[in-house]
Amino acid sequence: MALMITDECINCDVCEPECPNQAISMGETVYVIDPARCTECVGHFGEPQCVQVCPVECIPVNPAHVETREQLQRKYEELQAQSAATAGSTA
């Protein structure tokens, strides 16, 4: 279940640096979450960090991207492997 940022976002900039997967970026009008990179912080933290810091509670589960905890764990592992491969090729 990737998360999403709704139109209630006030662009306060607190969520982006909290994302351990770099899934959050500025969209056309509000921040957006890349569902291919969002693991809801599975593998990093017990709860989604963006949800924890959001002052307006505008980060619900994205119903278009429903995933099990196991799928989120696999996505986390794949992202970590990609990151390690990229770091190894630039060293």
Side-chain angles (χ1 to χ4, degrees):
M1 293 174 280
L3 301 172
M4 61 186 272
I5 298 175
T6 66
D7 291 341
E8 287 81 31
C9 176
I10 59 172
N11 295 324
C12 67
D13 303 322
V14 297
C15 62
E16 183 182 23
E18 295 299 319
C19 182
N21 296 318
Q22 292 80 43
I24 301 174
S25 61
M26 189 62 199
E28 288 187 32
T29 57
V30 296
Y31 280 89
V32 295
I33 297 177
D34 178 354
R37 297 196 64 83
C38 179
T39 64
E40 293 187 39
C41 289
V42 167
H44 293 283
F45 301 101
E47 296 185 35
Q49 297 301 287
C50 59
V51 173
Q52 296 296 310
V53 299
C54 181
V56 293
E57 300 178 5
C58 68
I59 308 177
V61 170
N62 186 336
H65 296 280
V66 177
E67 297 169 284
T68 66
R69 185 158 185 85
E70 291 77 21
Q71 289 171 312
L72 292 170
Q73 180 67 37
R74 278 196 302 275
K75 188 191 307 184
Y76 160 77
E77 291 166 2
E78 290 170 5
L79 289 169
Q80 292 301 303
Q82 289 172 6
S83 179
T86 300
S89 68
T90 60

